Amino acid sequence: MALIKDIVQESLTSGYLSVVAEDQVRSQLQSNYDSEDLDAWIILQRAIAGGDVKQESRRKKASLSPKAKDASSSIKLAYQMAAEIAYAAAVALSMTKNTKDQPSLGA
């Protein structure tokens, strides 16, 4: 199975994310991945939200009603926000702890 970062690179190059590739990414996100994979996933989410990468499952819905287009826009914004939150969490979790800077109770 390809690594998340490899799938993302292929999707960014082609501008397209297949259902199979999307399922592979989801599967790996549920099991085993590293910080580079997480970074790649965030980049992919931004590319999807920005319209640079099209998803196969969404590509087939070419004729959306205005209400569906608004919902699609909201979903893209939600993906982008989730990607930003995931990125911030990844950065925070990868930072080393400095106990001198942390307040303590009773000290």
Side-chain angles (χ1 to χ4, degrees), residues 2-51:
L3 297 174
I4 294 171
K5 58 188 169 190
D6 295 335
I7 295 169
V8 169
Q9 184 59 49
E10 183 178 325
S11 296
L12 292 173
T13 301
S14 68
Y16 182 75
L17 179 65
S18 70
V19 171
V20 172
E22 188 174 353
D23 288 343
Q24 287 177 340
V25 170
R26 286 183 187 176
S27 174
Q28 287 192 8
L29 285 171
Q30 292 175 354
S31 60
N32 189 16
Y33 59 92
D34 61 21
S35 62
E36 288 183 24
D37 286 328
L38 182 59
D39 290 343
W41 178 78
I42 292 167
I43 291 167
L44 177 62
Q45 291 302 314
R46 287 180 179 171
I48 290 169

Side-chain angles (χ1 to χ4, degrees), residues 95-105 107:
M95 296 174 72
T96 58
K97 291 185 179 180
N98 187 349
T99 55
K100 292 181 182 177
D101 294 338
Q102 296 179 350
S104 62
L105 298 174

